[in-house]
Amino acid sequence: MSSKGQPVAQVPTNIITGFLGVGKTSAILHLLKSKPSDQRWAVLVNEFGEIGVDGSLLDGQGADSEQVFIREVPGGCMCCAAGLPMQIALNQLLAKAKPDRLLIEPTGLGHPKEVLAVLNSEHYQEVLSLQKTITLVDARNLADRRYTEHDTFNQQIAIADRVVGNKQDLYAVGDQARLVDYIETHGRTGAEVTFTQFGELSLDLLVGATQYSTKEHVHHHGHSKPVASELPLPDSGVLSARNEGEGFTSMGWRFSPEKTFDRRQLVALLKGLSVERMKAVFITTEGVFGYNMTADGLMEVVLDDCLESRIELIADRVDESFETQLMDCLEETP
């Protein structure tokens, strides 16, 4: 267990990556629930959208306890602007948590090679001990060229020490074998393949040094402007933000905490969405709820609390009328 009075050094660090909707957040929640009770863990979460929802989903399900520390980097790939947003957030997280283990979840549309390059830089060589990189894959997506021809999808596989075929309970005959074959062709030599469901990863999958080396120079130019998750809410109590890249568009909204949503009307709206990905936390007339939508449908969980309502959509194109429909779900103030 780390001593709070000592500087952090050689913190075991794992990247948990994978494309949109594959179950990364569920996997991290499962790992946090399985962690040794005497250890302090830190989680750095990156989101493609600028609103930032994952931190609230993790916090609201009890992940942000005394021994777990969570920090978000919203607004696209966390390595943008030569890694500055990522480095600031990571340095602050390490200083606060002094963790026994660090988990990093890049956005499903991020550039994992560049994230690894930042973590491999001279600045972090004495601070972090890079351990196995875990890439979650839904083997059913191998039948879709939007995945197999997407550079980020293949990068995530190329850097993996272990590829985890998640959602195996939904696979058809041949899906597992197809993933094993794909990893042999596109994965790193020696990468291991396992299968699970509901993001249930065992702690022993994290242990051991990564075998991936970032020898080539990689750099990604991005923005360094403040993202919407960090801005003060306007007088209207509603803030929206848009982000585009990697062939996708994200659209997100934040609402001041006094704004309450009609739960039934809200759920009906969310169920009708046609998007690649949706994550949200809402303060409703019936309590606080978290929402997660993938191709497999909409999931709703009860949350302990949240500071404000937030929602993020990722799609090829976001329906412009959605904002009006979302506002219609607000309870009228007396």
Side-chain angles (χ1 to χ4, degrees):
M1 182 173 173
S2 293
S3 170
K4 293 181 73 172
Q6 298 295 323
V8 292
Q10 293 298 298
V11 177
T13 301
N14 300 92
I15 291 179
I16 312 291
T17 189
F19 217 68
L20 297 172
V22 76
K24 298 186 295 297
T25 303
S26 296
I28 288 176
L29 272 170
H30 181 79
L31 289 168
L32 294 178
K33 290 174 182 176
S34 306
K35 83 169 184 65
S37 59
D38 63 339
Q39 289 190 0
R40 299 162 64 88
W41 282 25
V43 184
L44 186 65
V45 182
N46 178 216
E47 293 189 63
F48 177 69
E50 294 203 3
I51 294 299
V53 177
D54 274 339
S56 298
L57 285 172
L58 288 166
D59 291 350
Q61 294 179 73
D64 195 10
S65 67
E66 183 181 343
Q67 300 284 60
V68 177
F69 301 82
I70 299 164
R71 182 67 190 267
E72 279 183 314
V73 186
C77 179
M78 67 167 72
C79 59
C80 285
L84 187 59
M86 173 185 173
Q87 290 179 46
I88 292 171
L90 178 54
N91 293 346
Q92 291 174 344
L93 179 61
L94 291 172
K96 177 183 178 182
K98 298 194 183 303
D100 296 285
R101 183 170 294 276
L102 168 66
L103 304 180
I104 296 179
E105 179 196 343
T107 169
L109 292 172
H111 306 84
K113 287 185 178 180
E114 292 151 20
V115 174
L116 272 168
V118 172
L119 299 177
N120 261 317
S121 65
E122 184 177 353
H123 176 73
Y124 290 113
Q125 284 181 3
E126 293 185 4
V127 179
L128 306 178
S129 172
L130 292 185
Q131 305 239 304
K132 289 185 177 178
T133 293
I134 310 296
T135 296
L136 278 71
V137 177
D138 183 342
R140 297 173 298 169
N141 292 337
L142 295 176
D144 190 338
R145 291 172 59 184
R146 291 185 306 159
Y147 293 85
T148 57
E149 294 182 2
H150 202 291
D151 179 61
T152 299
F153 178 82
N154 287 310
Q155 262 197 46
Q156 291 166 349
I157 286 174
I159 67 166
D161 295 291
R162 182 178 293 273
V163 176
V164 177
N166 195 27
K167 303 187 179 184
Q168 67 168 345
D169 53 311
L170 303 176
Y171 291 0
V173 175
D175 284 343
Q176 288 196 16
R178 191 174 297 112
L179 179 58
V180 171
D181 290 343
Y182 197 84
I183 302 311
E184 288 182 356
T185 304
H186 296 82
R188 185 187 54 75
T189 301
E192 299 173 306
V193 184
T194 56
F195 294 89
T196 192
Q197 57 193 27
F198 313 122
E200 295 175 351
L201 306 183
S202 61
L203 294 181
D204 61 351
L205 296 185
L206 304 177
V207 180
T210 181
Q211 299 303 305
Y212 181 79
S213 175
T214 55
K215 292 181 179 178
E216 72 273 20
H217 174 73
V218 289
H219 181 70
H220 176 64
H221 295 281
H223 62 73
S224 56
K225 66 179 177 67
V227 293
S229 65
E230 302 168 353
L231 296 174
L233 286 169
D235 292 340
S236 67
V238 181
L239 186 150
S240 64
R242 187 183 187 95
N243 191 22
E244 295 184 357
E246 301 298 316
F248 290 89
T249 296
S250 77
M251 195 69 202
W253 293 264
R254 291 172 53 200
F255 298 87
S256 58
E258 64 269 14
K259 291 188 178 295
T260 304
F261 288 78
D262 182 292
R263 180 186 170 211
R264 294 186 182 183
Q265 195 175 347
L266 181 66
V267 170
L269 173 63
L270 298 181
K271 282 183 176 179
L273 281 172
S274 178
V275 294
E276 189 75 20
R277 197 78 171 92
M278 184 279 296
K279 287 186 178 184
V281 290
F282 279 107
I283 300 169
T284 80
T285 50
E286 301 174 44
V288 181
F289 294 88
Y291 297 94
N292 197 338
M293 173 174 272
T294 68
D296 299 312
L298 177 69
M299 290 181 60
E300 180 187 62
V301 294
V302 179
L303 301 182
D304 298 333
D305 198 6
C306 71
L307 295 176
E308 61 186 37
S309 296
R310 296 183 172 205
I311 181 171
E312 195 90 57
L313 310 178
I314 299 179
D316 298 333
R317 185 182 62 84
V318 176
D319 185 353
E320 297 295 333
S321 69
F322 178 77
E323 180 171 323
T324 301
Q325 298 175 65
L326 185 60
M327 298 301 177
D328 288 343
C329 297
L330 282 167
E331 281 283 285
E332 291 188 13
T333 53

